[in-house]
Amino acid sequence: HRVSGIVPSRSSGQNSNTLSIPRATPLDEGLYYCMASKEGISVESNRANISVDDQLSVSVTPTNLVIIGEGGTAQFTATASGINEMNFMYQWRKRGGNSLPNKVSGINGSVLTIPSLVKSDGGRYYCTVTNEWSRSVRSD
C-alpha cells in the first residue's frame, strides 16, 4: 500500500511480502507499507520512506577562460545526465544578473552561441537544467 497515492501499476508483488517498483522515478517517492490479513485480522507493517535519486547533473564546456576577439563567436555546450534525458529543459544565463543579448541563440537549448562578440558580452555564463519532475541543477 502507499500512504498517499496509489502503488505504481508497473510494480509487482502487491499481493505478496515483497513489492518491486522497476524503473522508479521521483513520482514514485513516498511512504509505503504492507498490510497482512488472516482470518479477519489485519496487521500493518512499519512504513518505508522511498526516495529516488534522479542523478541529475550538468557540466559546461569549455570550462576554462576563453579569450575570443571582438567580432568572433563564443559557443558553450551543456552536457546533462540523469533519468529521462529526453525531457530535460535548459536555461542559459549570464552571472551578475545581466540579461543575455538578443543576438544569442540557444538560450533554451544545450548549446549557447554568442555571435559578433563585443566587450559587454564578456563574463561568466551558466546553464540550469531542469528535469520533468522540476528538479534543477546548475553548472557553476
Side-chain angles (χ1 to χ4, degrees):
H1 295 278
R2 190 171 182 183
V3 172
S4 182
I6 60 171
V7 174
S9 60
R10 67 184 179 289
S11 65
S12 63
Q14 291 185 33
N15 293 315
S16 73
N17 63 349
T18 302
L19 178 67
S20 176
I21 305 172
R23 300 175 315 280
T25 71
L27 295 176
D28 300 321
E29 291 181 340
L31 292 172
Y32 291 81
Y33 64 95
C34 180
M35 175 87 60
S37 301
K38 184 176 181 180
E39 299 175 5
I41 299 173
S42 295
V43 178
E44 190 176 297
S45 70
N46 291 333
R47 294 175 182 202
N49 187 15
I50 305 299
S51 177
V52 178
D53 179 3
D54 55 15
Q55 301 172 355
L56 182 60
S57 66
V58 63
S59 63
V60 172
T61 55
T63 58
N64 308 6
L65 173 66
V66 178
I67 300 173
I68 301 171
E70 200 161 336
T73 299
Q75 190 169 69
F76 303 94
T77 302
T79 303
S81 64
I83 297 174
N84 209 0
E85 296 174 12
M86 301 269 307
N87 293 323
F88 286 163
M89 294 168 280
Y90 297 83
Q91 179 67 55
W92 288 91
R93 299 205 191 286
K94 184 177 180 183
R95 278 200 198 277
N98 301 333
S99 60
L100 296 175
N102 292 334
K103 63 184 176 182
V104 170
S105 65
I107 291 174
N108 295 311
S110 61
V111 178
L112 178 72
T113 303
I114 310 168
S116 308
L117 290 170
V118 294
K119 190 170 184 122
S120 62
D121 294 328
R124 294 187 61 160
Y125 293 82
Y126 65 92
C127 182
T128 301
V129 176
T130 306
N131 65 18
E132 65 185 289
W133 303 286
S134 300
R135 295 190 185 193
S136 296
V137 65
R138 180 175 132 173
S139 67
D140 280 317

